[in-house]
Amino acid sequence: MGTEPSFTIPSRPQRRYPYSGGVEYEGQTIFRLIPSRSRSNEQLSAALEQTLDAGPYRYGDFYNLPMALFLVRDEGTGDVFRASVRDGRIRLHVLPETGSAGLRRLYDRLVERSDCEYRVECETAE
């Protein structure tokens, strides 16, 4: 195995509450977990759900979307973030209070349960 990926968060989104209601985010940071072997979205969704089911997570797929999208809380670190599967990648979406520890722990648990390695890319947009 090569160098461990960094989950240092370079920029955090800002939460806005518009007068019309709801919540919006300005900016984003996404960590993409790219499997070393080709995996379908269904296979990645199953791997992610199995990892979340094993704990210490509370999570929910509360949107009716054509892709897996979860709101995840790591009960050990208290970190909350979104996780999605799209285009053959698992994506971890940073929220304003997300810490690196929760992202790292999910990555470590996913790798432990998988039959492949994952390369990690970080994308930030203001």
Side-chain angles (χ1 to χ4, degrees), residues 21-64:
V23 64
E24 295 176 354
Y25 293 96
E26 293 179 356
Q28 69 176 358
T29 295
I30 299 172
F31 289 92
R32 287 187 180 82
L33 282 53
I34 304 164
S36 60
R37 297 182 189 155
S38 180
R39 297 289 183 260
S40 70
N41 288 341
E42 292 78 19
Q43 289 171 312
L44 291 173
S45 294
L48 178 59
E49 277 196 72
Q50 289 170 358
T51 301
L52 294 172
D53 282 340
Y57 300 102
R58 224 178 339 152
Y59 71 97
D61 182 5
F62 55 93
Y63 291 110
N64 186 14

Side-chain angles (χ1 to χ4, degrees), residues 97-123:
E97 294 84 21
T98 302
S100 296
L103 301 172
R104 160 66 65 193
R105 285 170 40 128
L106 179 62
Y107 168 83
D108 289 343
R109 289 182 175 113
L110 182 67
V111 168
E112 184 179 292
R113 290 175 174 76
S114 295
D115 62 350
C116 67
E117 300 293 322
Y118 290 85
R119 181 173 41 110
V120 177
E121 294 178 351
C122 179
E123 175 188 325

Side-chain angles (χ1 to χ4, degrees), residues 56 58 72-81 97-99 101-102 105:
R58 224 178 339 152
V72 178
R73 176 181 168 84
D74 183 314
E75 294 294 342
T77 66
D79 290 316
V80 177
F81 52 92
E97 294 84 21
T98 302
R105 285 170 40 128

Side-chain angles (χ1 to χ4, degrees), residues 6-13 25-34 67 69 81-87 89-96 98 103 119-126:
S6 171
F7 285 91
T8 301
I9 300 170
S11 178
R12 296 176 186 281
Y25 293 96
E26 293 179 356
Q28 69 176 358
T29 295
I30 299 172
F31 289 92
R32 287 187 180 82
L33 282 53
I34 304 164
M67 62 182 241
L69 175 64
F81 52 92
R82 289 187 310 243
S84 65
V85 176
R86 188 174 190 175
D87 301 328
R89 291 155 170 69
I90 296 173
R91 302 176 344 163
L92 306 179
H93 306 255
V94 173
L95 295 173
T98 302
L103 301 172
R119 181 173 41 110
V120 177
E121 294 178 351
C122 179
E123 175 188 325
T124 301
E126 297 295 323

